[in-house]
Amino acid sequence: MGKTRKFFTADLHIHSCLSPCAELDMTPKRIIQRALDAELDIIAIADHNSCENLDAAVGLAGKMGIALLPAMEIASAEEVHVLALFDTLQAALGMQERVYAGLPGMENDPVFWGEQVVVNGEDEVLGFNSRLLAGATDMPLNRLVDAIHGFGGLAIASHVDRESFSVISQLGFIPAGVRFDALEVSGPVPPYVEEAGLAAVRSSDAHRLEDIGGKKTRFLLDGANLRELASALRAEGGRKAVID
Ligand SMILES: [Zn+2]
Ligand SMILES: [Zn+2]
C-alpha cells in the first residue's frame, strides 16, 4: 500500500479550562469543534503542569475526527516553559506524576490565579484541581527535557521570542546542552532560532476559543502521529515543518 504523504495543519499549543489563565469555555469538546472549524488536522491540548483534561480530550478526538497529541506545558525550575508532546495518554500521565512530585505543593487561589476546571467529554464539571499549577517544577531545564524524552515525548521550547517564561527571557540564550526537539516562535523567526539548528514551529498558545488556529504550522508527513512529527522536526526523508 502506498503512503499518502501530505501537509497536515497543526496547532500544537492550546490551553484548556484546566489552565488557571484560560477561559472557562475552553473545554475539550469546544476546543476540538473550533479546531475542526479552523480546518486543523492535528492539535495538542497543553495545560500548565497538568494533563487532567486529556482523558476527555483523547476520547473526543477519536469520535470527532481530529488527531490530538497528549501534551503539557511544563515550567522548569528556571521558569522556562517547555511544551511536551506525547504519543499516548499513559505517557503524559506518567510525566504528570513526575511534574506533580516537583511542584511546590501549594494550593491554588482561584480568585488570584483563576479556576482550574476538570471536565468530561460532555462539558460537565468533574472537579477543580487544587494544586498551584501556575508554579514551576523543581526540574532544571536539562533534566526536564530528559524526563520528557524518557516518556517518549518531544520537548519544544515554548514561545522563545516572548518576554516572559521563555528560554531567552530566563536564560538569555539557548543552552547547547539542552536537547530540545524544536523551538516555538510566536512571531517572525529570530536569527538565534536559525542559528540553533533546530526546527521552528509556530502555534497559537490559545487561552480562548477564537485564538485556536490563529497561529499554526504545516507539517509534511506520512501520517498524523508523534513519530512522523518527530521525523519532520529532524527533516528526515523529505518530511518538514513549514511556518508561513
Ligand atoms: Zn507558556
Ligand atoms: Zn501556553
Side-chain angles (χ1 to χ4, degrees):
M1 224 165 61
K3 287 176 184 168
T4 51
R5 178 162 294 188
K6 67 177 191 103
F7 275 106
F8 293 84
T9 305
D11 184 348
L12 302 176
H13 189 161
I14 300 170
H15 290 267
S16 86
C17 51
L18 173 59
S19 290
C21 41
E23 293 195 350
L24 294 177
D25 63 357
M26 289 291 268
T27 63
K29 192 177 184 180
R30 291 182 195 188
I31 289 170
I32 292 170
Q33 189 54 58
R34 177 77 193 186
L36 290 168
D37 292 345
E39 300 185 328
L40 298 174
D41 303 303
I42 308 174
I43 60 168
I45 294 181
D47 285 307
H48 291 294
N49 297 317
S50 182
C51 64
E52 292 188 28
N53 275 343
L54 284 185
D55 190 27
V58 168
L60 280 173
K63 278 187 234 160
M64 295 174 74
I66 198 164
L68 180 135
L69 298 174
M72 252 185 291
E73 187 177 30
I74 306 167
S76 75
E78 304 91 339
E79 298 200 296
V80 174
H81 286 185
V82 179
L83 186 67
L85 304 174
F86 299 98
D87 199 17
T88 63
L89 179 58
Q90 199 182 5
L93 290 170
M95 188 66 204
Q96 177 184 255
E97 201 173 313
R98 174 66 191 87
V99 169
Y100 279 179
L103 286 176
M106 288 153 69
E107 287 227 343
N108 182 44
D109 175 358
V111 175
F112 186 75
W113 295 104
E115 297 283 8
Q116 302 177 155
V117 191
V118 180
V119 295
N120 66 14
E122 294 306 317
D123 289 356
E124 293 161 346
V125 175
L126 298 179
F128 298 87
N129 189 315
S130 62
R131 295 170 192 274
L132 180 66
L133 298 179
T137 71
D138 62 353
M139 282 178 276
L141 199 50
N142 59 345
R143 280 206 358 245
L144 170 58
V145 169
D146 287 349
I148 294 166
H149 289 155
F151 284 98
L154 296 176
I156 299 175
S158 295
H159 41 68
V160 295
D161 50 346
R162 287 218 205 126
E163 287 172 9
S164 52
F165 304 118
S166 74
V167 64
I168 297 296
S169 75
Q170 302 309 105
L171 304 181
F173 61 102
I174 295 162
V178 178
R179 300 182 303 136
F180 287 121
D181 297 289
L183 305 174
E184 183 199 79
V185 296
S186 308
V189 180
Y192 58 77
V193 169
E194 285 176 7
E195 284 158 19
L198 291 165
V201 297
R202 193 182 285 133
S203 293
S204 69
D205 194 9
H207 286 68
R208 41 183 204 157
L209 288 169
E210 54 264 47
D211 290 340
I212 294 170
K215 291 176 185 170
K216 56 205 172 195
T217 305
R218 291 186 306 128
F219 290 95
L220 187 59
L221 309 172
D222 291 338
N225 58 63
L226 191 78
R227 186 181 302 198
E228 280 290 312
L229 208 70
S231 291
L233 295 176
R234 294 191 294 261
E236 287 172 353
R239 295 171 188 81
K240 58 181 174 179
V242 180
I243 50 180
D244 302 312

